[in-house]
Amino acid sequence: AFPSLKFKGTYDGDGKKISNLFIDRQTEESVGLFGYVDNAVIKNLTVENADVTGKNAVGILVGTVNTGTITNCHSSGKVRCISARSGGLVGSGMSITLQDSSSSASVKGLTFQGGLIADVSAYLTLSSITNCHASGAVIGSYTVGGLVGNIDGKSTIKVTLSNSYATGNVSGDNHSIGGLVGSHGGYSEISGCYAEGTVTALARTDGYAVQSVGGLVGMNYGKIGTSHAAGAVAGGFQVGGLVGTSESGSINRCYAT
C-alpha cells in the first residue's frame, strides 16, 4: 500500500550530519529518516550511529523510493527488519538513481537484505547505482547481498550497477547469497564492480543445503562485466567464487581470487 504521507521535492543536507537517529516501528512499512519518497531528490547528507527497526522496506535514510535521486548520502549504525527489504541506506527503490553514496551500517532481517539498498527495480524509468559502496555485515535468509539484495529490471527498462563495491561479510540460510548482489535479474547489468567480504551459508534447521552462494552474485540472470570477487565463500549447494548459480545472461571479463 502507498502511504498517504510522502516526501516530494528536494532536500539538500549541505554536507551536514544527523547523529544518533533512533526509530523503532516494528509493525510499520517504509521506515527511515524519510519514510516514503516520491519524485524527490535527497543529497549531501550523512546519518551516523543510527538504530532503525521496521517491518518492511527499512533504511536509515529512506524506507521506500518511488522515483527519485539520492546523491552523496551516507549512513552508519544498524538496521533491523522484521520481514523484508532492509538496507543500510535505503530499503526499496523503484526507478531510483543512487550515486556517490555509502553505508557502513550492519543489516539484519529475513528476505531481500542489502548493505546499501535491499531491492532495486525498474518502474516507469530505469534505475541505476553508480559509485557507491557498503562495508557493513549483512545477515538474512534469502536474496542477501553485501551491496544490494535484489536487482530486477524490465524488458524495456534496465537496472544498472556500476563502479561500486562491497567489503562487508554476508551470510544467509536459504538461497541467493552474494558478496555484492544476492539475486541479479534479467534486463539488468553489473559492470566495474567488486566484492571483498566473506560469504557464508548458514546452517538450516530443516537439513536442506543453502543454494546459490557466490563471492560476487548469488543467483544471476543478467549481464556481468569487468567485475571480480576476492572474499572466501563457504558452505551451501551451487557455490562459486564469483557466481553461485547463473541461469541465463552473460559473464565477461570477470574473475575471483
Side-chain angles (χ1 to χ4, degrees), residues 192-257:
C193 295
Y194 67 89
E196 294 184 338
T198 297
V199 182
T200 305
L202 302 174
R204 293 177 55 164
T205 57
D206 59 11
Y208 288 96
V210 178
Q211 186 172 339
S212 303
V213 183
L216 188 76
V217 175
M219 173 68 77
N220 179 59
Y221 298 91
K223 295 181 179 180
I224 306 174
T226 58
S227 299
H228 70 273
V233 183
F237 171 67
Q238 295 182 333
V239 179
L242 187 73
V243 175
T245 305
S246 190
E247 294 283 355
S248 58
S250 62
I251 302 172
N252 295 300
R253 297 182 180 181
C254 296
Y255 65 91
T257 58

Side-chain angles (χ1 to χ4, degrees), residues 22-84:
F22 178 78
I23 302 174
D24 186 3
R25 297 180 176 179
Q26 299 183 26
T27 62
E28 297 185 22
E29 300 184 359
S30 297
V31 176
L33 177 65
F34 295 86
Y36 195 100
V37 166
D38 187 2
N39 286 289
V41 174
I42 302 172
K43 58 185 178 180
N44 306 322
L45 179 64
T46 296
V47 185
E48 60 182 12
N49 195 33
D51 185 344
V52 178
T53 302
K55 179 182 178 181
N56 185 37
V58 185
I60 288 174
L61 183 68
V62 183
T64 299
V65 175
N66 181 12
T67 310
T69 299
I70 296 175
T71 303
N72 190 31
C73 290
H74 311 277
S75 67
S76 65
K78 59 184 178 181
V79 178
R80 288 165 292 183
C81 181
I82 305 303
S83 183

